[in-house]
Amino acid sequence: MENDARREAPATARNRDPILSVLRDVLPVSGHVLEIASGTGEHAIHFAAALPDLVWQPTDPDANARASIAAWGEQAELANLRAPLELDAASHEWPITEAQAVVCINMIHISPWTATEGLMAGAARVLESGYPLVLYGPYRREGLTLEPSNAAFDEDLKRRNPEWGLRSVETVRACALDNGLAFDSVVEMPANNLMLVFRKR
């Protein structure tokens, strides 16, 4: 469609249902979910449709991404999907002050480490005790050899931007703990990805 702002990420169709399966287990039954770095908005649409008792709040720092999220949202017409907000994870001020869950998919490896630090600090600010921060993406793990596909991906990311690259689970866990987020679980996902779940202490 001409002038259609909707963007598509090919990986979304492959990973959205495995991610949703984990979200069903770790998200609260109801409440507000704050999604950080929503990108195209395809995940937000899929999850909001599948989890009607949760209010889904997508965000992204990029105006074109927010336009895509808004366009997908207009087409979907979901009562529990909010309009996208501008939010930079690294910022000390977020436009949302309270949420019952924070979800972040495929951001940590394609952003400077300051974004992860900001994500942890921000999640700690908006979550009450016991509520989850859920992360998805590729990671390194200490003592384990990086899978060939992830090793090649990591090299490509660093060529594109020296501040990008796959982070270790242990480093991410330490950053979370420094911000009062306790490690809950790690879930093995398809295509050498992981989901990490933390909870506000």
Side-chain angles (χ1 to χ4, degrees):
M1 185 188 303
E2 190 174 354
N3 298 324
D4 189 347
R6 290 176 301 169
R7 293 177 167 185
E8 294 184 4
T12 304
R14 298 191 297 268
N15 65 33
R16 62 187 182 184
D17 286 321
I19 293 173
L20 176 61
S21 179
V22 177
L23 293 179
R24 290 186 188 278
D25 290 335
V26 301
L27 293 183
V29 174
S30 61
H32 285 72
V33 179
L34 174 62
E35 184 184 7
I36 306 299
S38 301
T40 65
E42 294 168 281
H43 281 126
I45 300 300
H46 189 68
F47 301 151
L51 304 167
D53 293 328
L54 289 168
V55 176
W56 205 271
Q57 177 61 69
T59 70
D60 205 278
D62 180 74
N64 290 326
R66 294 195 302 276
S68 177
I69 298 165
W72 281 110
E74 288 171 8
Q75 182 192 54
E77 298 183 334
L78 297 168
N80 63 325
L81 179 69
R82 295 291 178 261
L85 295 176
E86 181 178 0
L87 188 153
D88 180 352
S91 173
H92 296 295
E93 294 186 7
W94 287 7
I96 294 291
T97 58
E98 181 182 345
Q100 282 66 57
V102 177
V103 172
C104 184
I105 297 170
N106 282 333
M107 180 200 82
I108 288 179
H109 57 286
I110 52 172
S111 60
W113 179 245
T114 51
T116 299
E117 293 175 324
L119 170 65
M120 298 303 180
R125 287 194 304 271
V126 303
L127 292 173
E128 293 183 6
S129 179
Y131 284 130
L133 165 65
V134 187
L135 310 179
Y136 170 88
Y139 294 90
R140 299 175 175 273
R141 284 191 277 188
E142 291 181 8
L144 297 178
T145 301
L146 197 60
E147 303 86 359
S149 60
N150 275 349
F153 184 41
D154 183 51
E155 290 179 5
D156 179 61
L157 288 171
K158 290 174 178 175
R159 278 196 298 268
R160 291 160 59 189
N161 188 325
E163 291 191 284
W164 295 0
L166 273 61
R167 319 296 183 183
S168 76
V169 170
E170 293 75 17
T171 302
V172 173
R173 285 181 61 173
C175 184
L177 189 59
D178 286 344
N179 287 278
L181 299 164
F183 179 70
D184 182 272
S185 60
V186 57
V187 183
E188 302 271 354
M189 302 295 287
N192 298 318
N193 288 293
L194 299 174
M195 288 189 75
L196 308 181
V197 181
F198 301 88
R199 292 189 183 273
K200 175 71 177 291
R201 293 196 297 184

